[in-house]
Amino acid sequence: MTKEMQKMPPIEDLFDFFQRWGRLRPEMEALCASDRLNAKEREILACLIDLADRVGPDDLAPSDPGA
């Protein structure tokens, strides 16, 4: 984990995560490529990276219960 990640305040919610994803993604890719995780953990993290890449602003908009 880089010093920047260590100084980052806790993520509060999905919107906060989305806002930070541009800075978090390289860290997650580096972790995924490292030998700190076993094969299964790397596979899971790669899936989570793919999932996070699919989140966009429309996913963060409040849903309209009347729609």
Side-chain angles (χ1 to χ4, degrees):
M1 184 180 301
T2 64
K3 288 183 182 182
E4 182 179 332
M5 284 282 292
Q6 291 172 349
K7 293 179 184 178
M8 191 177 293
I11 295 170
E12 297 294 326
D13 54 28
L14 182 59
F15 183 76
D16 189 18
F17 180 85
F18 174 75
Q19 294 288 82
R20 297 185 199 194
W21 181 237
R23 290 179 304 219
L24 294 170
R25 192 180 196 287
E27 297 277 346
M28 297 302 101
E29 287 182 310
L31 179 59
C32 196
S34 76
D35 60 357
R36 292 183 288 170
L37 302 177
N38 65 41
K40 187 64 174 174
E41 291 167 333
R42 284 192 299 275
E43 180 183 344
I44 292 168
L45 182 54
C47 290
L48 290 172
I49 291 169
D50 289 342
L51 178 65
D53 285 344
R54 294 173 186 227
V55 173
D58 291 343
D59 300 311
L60 305 174
S63 60
D64 182 1

